[in-house]
Amino acid sequence: MDDTLVDTKTSLAHGVRAACQLAASLTSRVDPDELVDAYHAAFSVCWAHPADTGAYSVHNLRRGVWYTALRTIGVTLDNTGLDRLVHACTAAQLTMIEPDRDYATS
């Protein structure tokens, strides 16, 4: 996966944008554009060495990325809010995933 058979860059961007919009609806202290940038910075660090995060599941790793991104912009959400962001991001991302047509017809 990961941009080999599926364009995950575009789908992740869509998911992140959806979750940032949700975060802005949860608290007026979130600027969605600022959170997008903070998310990508946190994503790069957390996914580069996932074992270093102490997360023992993909869900917890995703929560950690959102937690870190939010803290970067001075916002804290409770566990329910973090779970909602993870779900919104993942759900929106999954709606955008389509197999690479060159491989799908092989």
Side-chain angles (χ1 to χ4, degrees):
M1 200 163 129
D2 294 336
D3 288 332
T4 302
L5 300 177
V6 176
D7 174 9
T8 55
K9 183 182 274 186
T10 301
S11 62
L12 178 61
H14 181 72
V16 169
R17 176 56 62 187
C20 290
Q21 292 297 328
L22 173 61
S25 75
L26 296 176
T27 176
S28 62
R29 296 183 350 236
V30 169
D31 173 339
D33 294 327
E34 184 180 22
L35 184 54
V36 166
D37 292 340
Y39 176 88
H40 287 296
F43 180 90
S44 295
V45 171
C46 291
W47 284 92
H49 303 285
D52 294 345
T53 67
Y56 296 102
S57 70
V58 172
H59 178 78
N60 285 339
L61 184 57
R62 289 175 176 153
R63 281 178 86 220
V65 172
W66 283 108
Y67 176 83
T68 301
L70 287 163
R71 291 290 303 251
T72 299
I73 65 167
V75 175
T76 303
L77 291 180
D78 62 14
N79 288 335
T80 300
L82 289 171
D83 287 340
R84 288 181 66 189
L85 295 185
V86 169
H87 177 74
C89 184
T90 304
Q93 183 178 7
L94 289 174
T95 66
M96 296 293 293
I97 292 179
E98 294 183 18
D100 184 315
R101 301 222 188 284
D102 292 337
Y103 291 101
T105 59
S106 299

